[in-house]
Amino acid sequence: MSTQRYGAGIWHFATYVDRYATDGYGAPRTLVEMIDLAGQVEDLTVVDINFPFPGGGDVSLPTIDAALKRNGLSVIGITPEIYTRQFAKGAFTNPDPGLRRLANEMCNEAAKMVRHFGADYVKLWPGQDGWDYPFQVDHREIWKLSVEGVAELASQNPDLKFVIEYKPREPRVHMSYDSVARTLLGIEKMGQPNVGILLDFGHSLYGGESPADAAQLAIDHGRLFGMDVNDNLRGWDDDMIAGSVHPIELFEFFWTLRKNGWEGVWQLDQFPFREDSVETANSAIGFLKRIERALDRLDFDALKAAQKRQDAVAALNLARGALFGD
Amino acid sequence: MSTQRYGAGIWHFATYVDRYATDGYGAPRTLVEMIDLAGQVEDLTVVDINFPFPGGGDVSLPTIDAALKRNGLSVIGITPEIYTRQFAKGAFTNPDPGLRRLANEMCNEAAKMVRHFGADYVKLWPGQDGWDYPFQVDHREIWKLSVEGVAELASQNPDLKFVIEYKPREPRVHMSYDSVARTLLGIEKMGQPNVGILLDFGHSLYGGESPADAAQLAIDHGRLFGMDVNDNLRGWDDDMIAGSVHPIELFEFFWTLRKNGWEGVWQLDQFPFREDSVETANSAIGFLKRIERALDRLDFDALKAAQKRQDAVAALNLARGALFGD
Amino acid sequence: MSTQRYGAGIWHFATYVDRYATDGYGAPRTLVEMIDLAGQVEDLTVVDINFPFPGGGDVSLPTIDAALKRNGLSVIGITPEIYTRQFAKGAFTNPDPGLRRLANEMCNEAAKMVRHFGADYVKLWPGQDGWDYPFQVDHREIWKLSVEGVAELASQNPDLKFVIEYKPREPRVHMSYDSVARTLLGIEKMGQPNVGILLDFGHSLYGGESPADAAQLAIDHGRLFGMDVNDNLRGWDDDMIAGSVHPIELFEFFWTLRKNGWEGVWQLDQFPFREDSVETANSAIGFLKRIERALDRLDFDALKAAQKRQDAVAALNLARGALFGD
Amino acid sequence: MSTQRYGAGIWHFATYVDRYATDGYGAPRTLVEMIDLAGQVEDLTVVDINFPFPGGGDVSLPTIDAALKRNGLSVIGITPEIYTRQFAKGAFTNPDPGLRRLANEMCNEAAKMVRHFGADYVKLWPGQDGWDYPFQVDHREIWKLSVEGVAELASQNPDLKFVIEYKPREPRVHMSYDSVARTLLGIEKMGQPNVGILLDFGHSLYGGESPADAAQLAIDHGRLFGMDVNDNLRGWDDDMIAGSVHPIELFEFFWTLRKNGWEGVWQLDQFPFREDSVETANSAIGFLKRIERALDRLDFDALKAAQKRQDAVAALNLARGALFGD
């Protein structure tokens, strides 16, 4: 029987706006409503929660604790919202030092929440840190601030882990932490043991990486601290249902985790704009369970032998055979 | 002296939200505030206005008329908002016939506004008409409804023009009217004289077209009814300042218009998320004026001769010489 | 038992050069050697052959006939090589009228071969017809010549079918026949009954289309005359093994064919640069047979019901269930 | 008067084949013919030469020396051909240790040529090192071999510099050295002072980087040893004329070099498949000279001030003003 734990960002159960449907794709939901929806998903046991807490209103910690408890959920990470209006020109790299300070403070507050919930990490997704136009920024300065901002947090909170979720772009036209290699380069510069990567399968895919290769590289640097999955058409962060477009590369990604003995939560980062949140999560987790079984079926030795000679056809046939249940 | 008229979508002067900065990139603005900003742009004389009128509140027609008048602006088109929450699964192609009816009614209301303002057209941008996932839709049905929906509007309003602004994707993962050729194919099917294309330079570019070729094709079908410009990195509809990334293809686009004797407003469809609206518009129009002068300088005969032999180097040298003012 | 016929371009069994490995990825092969390799593939019964015959030397028709016969193969189409050095600036659109005439003659010679082999069509892949640079060509002229060139062939050979294989780009930076809609627009203009589309799954995919949607559109215009499959990473025509990256969209594509009652050969257009030709073909056909069985399992009524409400999750679950053999 | 030196890869003056025009886009040229063409370009003073020497035949060193001398050319780098048939599955990462040894030996031979010509570096472009299919390779092993292979060369030749020219893909579907950050990560691992990056503007662009940012990052690591320029449509390595598509980002790239005091040759890496080699080079260098003059005009202080506040519009206006010669 599988002991694999599954998780999701709590925003999976929110409703969304975009620049066109400014009235939102559904009525707003409170955090407690989101948690109660998460609780309806089969096999979901952990969530990542934004901070300040989403959904408006003044929700108290005891209320959240109770909602989590009654739904059998625990918290894996806290994601400070360092990408709202005030941070439109960046959090760690904002031209205004006062706003950089504010970002630091918000992340430190998020760190307190990590301690409260007994979570694993503060998740940093600096979506507004980057640039839009040619000539807009001093690239040395932007990168320096990107690295220093995270390093400072890590040294302020040596008891906690910080994970950086890199992404090529959106909402900025280009994000500073845009790829696995760039992020590792920055982390190596920081020289802190408690900073790692949260690898988003879809970000890796649409950034032109092989997610399996990206995972291996992060593991080999001892920095793969977390991950989440979804899918897209390789051109944008569509946050579609995991495996709905790229099931084979998803399988290779999880195979990479298993062969390295990487154990951790398999998380979802999906945005069901027009779909039912619970059904969307169930569909994804259902497929992840198929992948689990396929990993059990996969002949690792034969696959490694095929890889030793770069025999793409043999390797693909083995992978297909396991995944498609022949 | 140039007699070229310049225009902009009124949303150029709005503030925006996206799925991350849900609190918006700036405080909301009323329609009148947007018009007053548009009035500050040098050389802007026409605007395209969303309907229902944006910016909230119950703004009366006389108030809008007065705001336009004091800013020396007239209206070129009305854009019905057939892409908000209720139309999340499509306007013309919504699975719910009641919502399809509602979309039709909203467009007919927009047609009345066109008459009120003495504008040129109803602009249809069916951004939610399409699909997200493999297997999600019956493609025959979706396309049939896309074509019939517009044809119905055209026959209901034979005194007016309707323009379709195609776009590859966003907010749907794939839009029905995704390219110039697809849109022309649909328009030919409709068999109505009063349906044409509004060609958005950026949509064409990131859809993998050459905007100059797309313009020529629409012109050759007698269907280029309008256009707007902006720029992007060819992977997404970034709606950046016109000419900020692709000045040479922008120049080729306008050259195509001029050599065909196409006369109409040069419009902006830019989204200055983090920039000053007025400065952004001025920067773009300033560059468009450079293009105007470059067109005057360009040696059309020499260029045509180079094209006759597909001499890319000679053609490029001529274009560069004119555009960069050597 | 399946009666589905499988085919391949004979170039699947060639060796290749590119601009770097100018000495080729393998020793050159004669046409007869290619045919003998094709004969080794399980379940392959038809081939598409380039003309002039590839592989060098003066191979006689009786020799080819014999080779085909001993391998149990018949010919589905002939592909004239209108994309070699002399046609570097186009076949139908070449600036030199003499070369345009030469292209026409070569295609007429190919038509004779179609008659000789009792094949279905002349396949036109005008890979050099298009442009590379901004300002390089007169777009009206290029498109006019593209359409007229094919129309002329069709009227010269009313007893035969001509299929156009569109593709976004390569080797030109942009091809004239770049998409399903553009090609249909051209075909409609020709007004000939014997011109249709050969839809290459991979071309459609990396051109930003949904191949299922493209197939439906071509079918609805009565112009889907042929097809072939392969796979890629959506950014280039990688011609990888069918289903190796996008199995779900491939399944949707074949579902579209079946539900429309489209019957024809399922062909491969793969380029095994570094792989064994026969194993590559077997791997692909093996997966296509899985798709055949999955189509038998798929609940068409339930799927159509889900599509009627655009229920992406239900539709995906149904498709996955059938394809992955749950 | 400008003292800037200009260079080109000698392959700029070759003719090319691709997988379709297998008879080549022109008659083959000898190395001496290529050098004589290079000599016709105005202001070209240095070349990068492939090794083994291209163009066939047994060309002697004295013959090459003489050809260079009479054309006023010197050699900046030697590019070993570690991407031909024998290396189809990789040079440094080939599954066959014998072929890995062969690659090492070829690079050591190239090193001798660097010494002979008094050139600056051996240029490594491991275009076949990577993978094509999911599951094809052991990513840890491929990266390990990639890093070790270059490190070994550097330690074998401590008197010379080695530059790695990274590229996202082609001919492999994915290259190991795919980005500036990945390459820097590998170089840091090597711990050798004599390994750096040759930054190809086009590779950076179509890999989703900002070339200016990539250059700054390489400079900040002390590893920008060389560069070359060209242009493309951001989706493929089109190797078009520099500035023909992205003049503004090209300008930002050179501005980055100048503000960092980076001095070196401005090289071309263009592939004029269908164009005249000399005219193509002249067109590019002509535009690079415009950039030189624009850099002289550009108000660095005003630009830095705009960047300090991330004022995209002001920065763009300054850059445009200088580049377009207002």
Side-chain angles (χ1 to χ4, degrees):
Chain A
M1 205 199 107
S2 164
T3 55
Q4 179 60 50
R5 285 191 303 156
Y6 295 97
I10 199 66
W11 53 91
H12 190 296
F13 306 97
T15 56
Y16 313 101
V17 298
D18 62 27
R19 60 175 173 150
Y20 301 111
T22 54
D23 57 342
Y25 286 84
R29 290 189 189 129
T30 66
L31 176 55
V32 169
E33 287 171 332
M34 296 181 211
I35 293 171
D36 285 338
L37 283 169
Q40 293 176 33
V41 177
E42 295 169 48
D43 299 298
L44 196 77
T45 53
V46 305
V47 290
D48 179 333
I49 300 181
N50 310 90
F51 180 82
F53 297 124
D58 274 330
V59 61
S60 72
L61 279 176
T63 304
I64 300 173
D65 289 338
L68 290 167
K69 191 171 178 188
R70 76 168 167 269
N71 286 289
L73 296 169
S74 62
V75 178
I76 187 170
I78 296 291
T79 300
E81 296 217 314
I82 51 176
Y83 40 75
T84 50
R85 186 192 300 180
Q86 58 191 347
F87 300 119
K89 287 191 172 178
F92 302 123
T93 63
N94 199 292
D96 178 344
L99 287 167
R100 295 201 297 266
R101 189 51 30 214
L102 199 61
N104 177 274
E105 287 164 10
M106 186 187 281
C107 293
N108 272 298
E109 286 302 307
K112 290 179 193 163
M113 292 301 112
V114 168
R115 291 184 193 100
H116 169 82
F117 288 114
D120 286 11
Y121 49 69
V122 178
K123 192 184 79 187
L124 303 173
W125 177 68
Q128 303 281 12
D129 291 79
W131 61 89
D132 298 297
Y133 282 89
F135 284 102
Q136 184 176 7
V137 299
D138 177 332
H139 290 291
R140 170 183 284 163
E141 179 74 3
I142 290 290
W143 184 236
K144 188 172 161 285
L145 290 173
S146 293
V147 171
E148 289 175 356
V150 176
E152 182 186 14
L153 284 168
S155 67
Q156 288 168 333
N157 299 277
D159 59 318
L160 289 187
K161 285 194 281 189
F162 290 80
V163 297
I164 301 171
E165 184 176 0
Y166 68 86
K167 180 172 159 174
R169 50 164 309 183
E170 194 214 8
R172 292 310 283 266
V173 165
H174 197 105
M175 267 181 64
S176 293
Y177 285 107
D178 61 0
S179 63
V180 67
R182 181 78 178 235
T183 307
L184 287 171
L185 207 58
I187 291 174
E188 294 294 305
K189 189 118 196 163
M190 293 174 208
Q192 305 271 4
N194 56 332
V195 182
I197 282 177
L198 185 140
L199 200 164
D200 180 287
F201 179 86
H203 296 177
S204 180
L205 201 65
Y206 98 91
E209 298 175 354
S210 152
D213 174 57
Q216 186 64 60
L217 190 72
I219 287 170
D220 289 342
H221 282 78
R223 301 288 183 175
L224 190 68
F225 286 13
M227 58 84 142
D228 51 40
V229 293
N230 47 56
D231 216 331
N232 61 53
L233 301 193
R234 284 185 195 267
W236 191 251
D237 187 28
D238 300 312
D239 285 326
M240 295 161 75
I241 297 172
S244 60
V245 183
H246 295 98
I248 296 172
E249 278 145 302
L250 189 66
F251 185 35
E252 189 193 16
F253 174 73
F254 281 111
W255 175 68
T256 303
L257 298 188
R258 184 177 285 193
K259 79 169 176 172
N260 282 281
W262 191 92
E263 290 180 356
V265 178
W266 292 12
Q267 288 190 84
L268 307 179
D269 183 4
Q270 304 177 147
F271 274 64
F273 285 92
R274 299 168 187 82
E275 291 75 39
D276 180 87
S277 306
V278 175
E279 288 175 14
T280 301
N282 280 334
S283 177
I285 293 177
F287 192 69
L288 296 186
K289 284 169 172 268
R290 161 167 283 277
I291 283 182
E292 269 199 273
R293 295 190 300 272
L295 287 173
D296 294 338
R297 276 194 299 268
L298 183 61
D299 185 338
F300 276 42
D301 290 337
L303 180 54
K304 286 179 181 178
Q307 292 185 339
K308 266 221 168 306
R309 50 183 204 275
Q310 286 196 23
D311 185 339
V313 182
L316 179 67
N317 288 347
L318 286 163
R320 268 181 176 167
L323 184 60
F324 288 86
D326 289 329
Chain B
M1 203 201 108
S2 164
T3 57
Q4 180 59 50
R5 285 192 303 156
Y6 295 96
I10 199 65
W11 53 91
H12 189 298
F13 306 97
T15 56
Y16 314 101
V17 297
D18 62 28
R19 61 173 171 152
Y20 300 111
T22 54
D23 57 342
Y25 285 86
R29 290 187 189 132
T30 66
L31 177 55
V32 169
E33 288 170 332
M34 295 181 212
I35 294 171
D36 284 338
L37 282 169
Q40 294 176 32
V41 177
E42 296 169 46
D43 300 296
L44 196 77
T45 54
V46 305
V47 290
D48 179 332
I49 300 182
N50 310 89
F51 179 83
F53 297 124
D58 274 331
V59 61
S60 73
L61 280 175
T63 305
I64 299 173
D65 289 337
L68 290 166
K69 190 169 179 191
R70 76 170 166 266
N71 286 289
L73 297 169
S74 63
V75 178
I76 186 170
I78 296 291
T79 300
E81 296 216 315
I82 52 175
Y83 41 75
T84 50
R85 187 193 298 182
Q86 58 190 347
F87 300 120
K89 287 189 173 180
F92 303 123
T93 64
N94 200 291
D96 178 344
L99 286 168
R100 297 201 295 266
R101 189 49 32 214
L102 199 62
N104 178 274
E105 288 163 10
M106 186 186 282
C107 293
N108 272 298
E109 287 302 308
K112 290 179 193 163
M113 292 302 111
V114 167
R115 291 183 193 99
H116 168 82
F117 289 114
D120 286 9
Y121 48 70
V122 178
K123 192 185 79 187
L124 304 173
W125 177 69
Q128 303 282 11
D129 291 79
W131 60 88
D132 298 297
Y133 282 89
F135 284 101
Q136 185 176 7
V137 300
D138 178 333
H139 290 290
R140 171 183 283 163
E141 180 73 3
I142 290 291
W143 184 235
K144 188 173 161 284
L145 290 173
S146 293
V147 171
E148 290 175 355
V150 176
E152 184 187 14
L153 285 169
S155 67
Q156 289 168 333
N157 299 277
D159 59 318
L160 289 188
K161 284 193 281 189
F162 289 82
V163 297
I164 303 171
E165 184 175 0
Y166 68 85
K167 179 172 159 175
R169 51 164 310 184
E170 196 216 10
R172 292 311 280 269
V173 165
H174 197 106
M175 266 181 65
S176 293
Y177 286 107
D178 60 359
S179 62
V180 69
R182 182 80 179 234
T183 306
L184 287 171
L185 208 59
I187 291 174
E188 295 294 303
K189 190 119 196 163
M190 293 174 207
Q192 306 270 7
N194 56 333
V195 182
I197 283 177
L198 184 139
L199 201 164
D200 180 287
F201 178 85
H203 296 177
S204 180
L205 200 66
Y206 99 90
E209 298 174 353
S210 152
D213 173 58
Q216 186 64 61
L217 190 72
I219 287 170
D220 289 343
H221 281 78
R223 300 288 184 177
L224 189 68
F225 286 13
M227 58 81 144
D228 52 39
V229 293
N230 47 53
D231 216 329
N232 61 52
L233 300 193
R234 282 185 197 267
W236 190 251
D237 187 27
D238 300 312
D239 285 327
M240 293 160 75
I241 297 172
S244 60
V245 183
H246 296 99
I248 295 172
E249 278 146 301
L250 188 66
F251 185 36
E252 189 192 15
F253 175 74
F254 281 111
W255 175 68
T256 303
L257 298 187
R258 184 177 284 193
K259 78 170 176 172
N260 283 281
W262 191 92
E263 289 180 358
V265 178
W266 292 12
Q267 288 190 82
L268 306 180
D269 184 3
Q270 304 177 147
F271 274 64
F273 285 92
R274 298 169 188 81
E275 290 76 38
D276 180 87
S277 307
V278 176
E279 288 174 14
T280 301
N282 280 334
S283 177
I285 293 177
F287 191 70
L288 296 185
K289 285 168 172 268
R290 161 166 282 275
I291 284 183
E292 270 199 272
R293 295 189 301 273
L295 287 172
D296 294 339
R297 275 195 298 268
L298 183 61
D299 185 339
F300 277 42
D301 291 336
L303 181 55
K304 286 178 182 180
Q307 292 186 339
K308 262 218 170 310
R309 47 182 207 278
Q310 287 196 22
D311 186 338
V313 181
L316 178 67
N317 289 346
L318 285 163
R320 266 181 178 167
L323 183 60
F324 289 85
D326 289 329
Chain C
M1 204 199 107
S2 163
T3 56
Q4 179 59 51
R5 284 192 303 156
Y6 294 97
I10 199 65
W11 53 90
H12 190 297
F13 305 97
T15 56
Y16 314 100
V17 298
D18 63 26
R19 62 174 170 152
Y20 300 111
T22 54
D23 57 343
Y25 285 85
R29 289 188 190 131
T30 66
L31 176 54
V32 170
E33 286 171 332
M34 296 181 210
I35 293 172
D36 285 338
L37 282 170
Q40 295 176 31
V41 178
E42 295 169 47
D43 300 297
L44 196 78
T45 54
V46 305
V47 290
D48 179 333
I49 300 182
N50 311 89
F51 180 83
F53 298 124
D58 274 330
V59 60
S60 73
L61 279 175
T63 305
I64 299 174
D65 288 339
L68 290 166
K69 191 171 179 192
R70 76 170 167 265
N71 286 289
L73 296 170
S74 63
V75 178
I76 187 170
I78 296 291
T79 299
E81 297 217 314
I82 52 176
Y83 39 76
T84 49
R85 187 193 298 181
Q86 58 191 347
F87 300 120
K89 286 190 172 178
F92 303 122
T93 63
N94 199 291
D96 178 346
L99 287 167
R100 296 202 295 268
R101 191 48 33 212
L102 198 62
N104 177 275
E105 288 164 7
M106 186 186 282
C107 293
N108 272 297
E109 287 302 308
K112 291 179 192 162
M113 292 301 111
V114 167
R115 292 184 191 98
H116 169 83
F117 289 114
D120 286 9
Y121 49 71
V122 178
K123 192 185 79 188
L124 304 172
W125 178 70
Q128 304 280 12
D129 291 80
W131 60 88
D132 298 296
Y133 282 88
F135 284 102
Q136 184 176 7
V137 299
D138 178 333
H139 290 290
R140 170 183 284 164
E141 179 74 4
I142 290 291
W143 184 235
K144 187 172 162 286
L145 291 173
S146 294
V147 171
E148 290 176 355
V150 176
E152 183 186 14
L153 284 169
S155 67
Q156 288 168 333
N157 300 276
D159 59 318
L160 289 189
K161 285 194 281 189
F162 288 81
V163 297
I164 302 171
E165 184 176 0
Y166 68 84
K167 179 171 159 174
R169 52 166 307 185
E170 194 216 10
R172 293 311 282 267
V173 165
H174 197 105
M175 266 180 64
S176 294
Y177 286 107
D178 60 0
S179 63
V180 69
R182 181 79 179 236
T183 306
L184 288 171
L185 207 58
I187 291 173
E188 294 295 302
K189 190 119 197 164
M190 294 174 207
Q192 307 270 6
N194 56 333
V195 182
I197 283 178
L198 184 139
L199 201 164
D200 180 287
F201 179 86
H203 296 177
S204 180
L205 200 65
Y206 98 89
E209 298 175 353
S210 152
D213 174 57
Q216 186 64 59
L217 190 73
I219 287 170
D220 289 343
H221 281 78
R223 300 287 184 177
L224 189 68
F225 286 12
M227 58 83 142
D228 51 39
V229 292
N230 47 54
D231 216 330
N232 60 53
L233 300 193
R234 283 184 197 267
W236 190 251
D237 187 27
D238 299 312
D239 284 327
M240 293 160 75
I241 297 172
S244 60
V245 183
H246 296 99
I248 296 172
E249 278 146 301
L250 188 67
F251 185 36
E252 189 193 16
F253 175 74
F254 281 112
W255 175 69
T256 302
L257 298 188
R258 184 177 284 193
K259 79 169 176 173
N260 282 281
W262 190 92
E263 289 181 356
V265 178
W266 291 12
Q267 288 191 82
L268 306 179
D269 183 5
Q270 304 175 147
F271 274 64
F273 285 93
R274 298 169 189 82
E275 290 76 39
D276 180 88
S277 307
V278 176
E279 288 175 15
T280 300
N282 280 334
S283 176
I285 292 177
F287 191 70
L288 296 185
K289 285 168 171 270
R290 161 166 282 277
I291 283 183
E292 270 199 273
R293 295 190 301 273
L295 287 172
D296 294 339
R297 275 194 299 268
L298 183 61
D299 185 338
F300 276 42
D301 290 337
L303 181 54
K304 285 178 181 179
Q307 292 186 340
K308 264 220 171 308
R309 47 182 207 277
Q310 287 196 23
D311 185 338
V313 181
L316 179 67
N317 288 346
L318 285 162
R320 268 182 178 168
L323 183 60
F324 289 85
D326 288 328
Chain D
M1 204 200 106
S2 164
T3 56
Q4 180 58 50
R5 285 192 303 156
Y6 294 96
I10 198 66
W11 52 91
H12 190 296
F13 305 96
T15 56
Y16 314 100
V17 297
D18 62 27
R19 60 175 173 151
Y20 300 110
T22 54
D23 57 343
Y25 286 85
R29 289 188 190 131
T30 65
L31 177 55
V32 168
E33 287 171 332
M34 296 180 211
I35 293 172
D36 285 337
L37 283 170
Q40 294 176 33
V41 178
E42 295 168 47
D43 300 297
L44 195 78
T45 53
V46 305
V47 290
D48 179 333
I49 300 182
N50 310 90
F51 180 82
F53 298 124
D58 273 331
V59 59
S60 71
L61 280 177
T63 305
I64 300 174
D65 289 338
L68 290 167
K69 191 170 180 192
R70 75 169 168 266
N71 286 289
L73 296 170
S74 63
V75 179
I76 187 171
I78 296 291
T79 300
E81 296 216 315
I82 51 175
Y83 40 75
T84 51
R85 186 192 300 181
Q86 57 191 347
F87 300 119
K89 287 191 172 177
F92 302 123
T93 64
N94 200 292
D96 178 344
L99 286 167
R100 296 201 296 268
R101 190 52 28 215
L102 199 62
N104 177 274
E105 288 164 9
M106 186 187 282
C107 293
N108 272 298
E109 288 301 307
K112 290 179 192 163
M113 292 301 111
V114 167
R115 290 184 193 101
H116 168 82
F117 289 113
D120 286 11
Y121 48 70
V122 178
K123 192 185 77 187
L124 303 172
W125 177 69
Q128 303 281 12
D129 292 79
W131 61 89
D132 298 297
Y133 281 89
F135 284 102
Q136 183 175 9
V137 300
D138 178 332
H139 289 291
R140 170 184 285 164
E141 180 73 5
I142 291 291
W143 184 235
K144 188 173 161 285
L145 290 172
S146 294
V147 171
E148 289 175 356
V150 176
E152 183 187 14
L153 285 169
S155 67
Q156 287 168 333
N157 299 276
D159 59 318
L160 289 189
K161 284 195 281 190
F162 289 82
V163 297
I164 302 172
E165 185 176 0
Y166 69 85
K167 179 173 160 175
R169 50 165 309 185
E170 195 216 7
R172 292 310 282 268
V173 165
H174 197 106
M175 267 182 62
S176 295
Y177 286 107
D178 60 0
S179 62
V180 68
R182 181 79 178 236
T183 307
L184 288 172
L185 207 58
I187 291 174
E188 294 295 303
K189 190 118 195 162
M190 293 174 207
Q192 306 271 6
N194 56 332
V195 182
I197 283 178
L198 185 140
L199 201 164
D200 180 287
F201 179 84
H203 296 178
S204 180
L205 202 65
Y206 99 90
E209 298 174 353
S210 152
D213 173 57
Q216 186 65 59
L217 190 71
I219 287 170
D220 289 342
H221 282 78
R223 300 288 183 176
L224 189 68
F225 286 12
M227 59 82 145
D228 52 40
V229 292
N230 46 56
D231 216 330
N232 61 54
L233 300 192
R234 283 184 197 268
W236 190 251
D237 186 28
D238 299 312
D239 285 328
M240 294 161 74
I241 297 172
S244 60
V245 184
H246 295 99
I248 296 172
E249 277 145 301
L250 188 67
F251 185 36
E252 189 193 15
F253 175 74
F254 282 112
W255 175 69
T256 303
L257 297 188
R258 184 177 285 193
K259 79 170 174 170
N260 283 280
W262 190 92
E263 290 180 357
V265 178
W266 291 13
Q267 288 190 82
L268 307 180
D269 183 4
Q270 304 177 145
F271 274 64
F273 285 92
R274 300 169 187 81
E275 290 76 38
D276 180 89
S277 307
V278 175
E279 287 175 14
T280 301
N282 280 334
S283 177
I285 292 177
F287 191 69
L288 297 185
K289 285 169 173 268
R290 162 167 282 277
I291 283 183
E292 270 199 272
R293 295 190 300 271
L295 287 172
D296 294 339
R297 276 194 298 268
L298 183 62
D299 185 337
F300 277 43
D301 290 336
L303 181 54
K304 286 179 182 180
Q307 292 186 339
K308 264 219 170 309
R309 49 183 205 275
Q310 287 196 22
D311 185 338
V313 181
L316 179 67
N317 288 347
L318 286 163
R320 268 181 176 166
L323 183 61
F324 289 84
D326 288 328

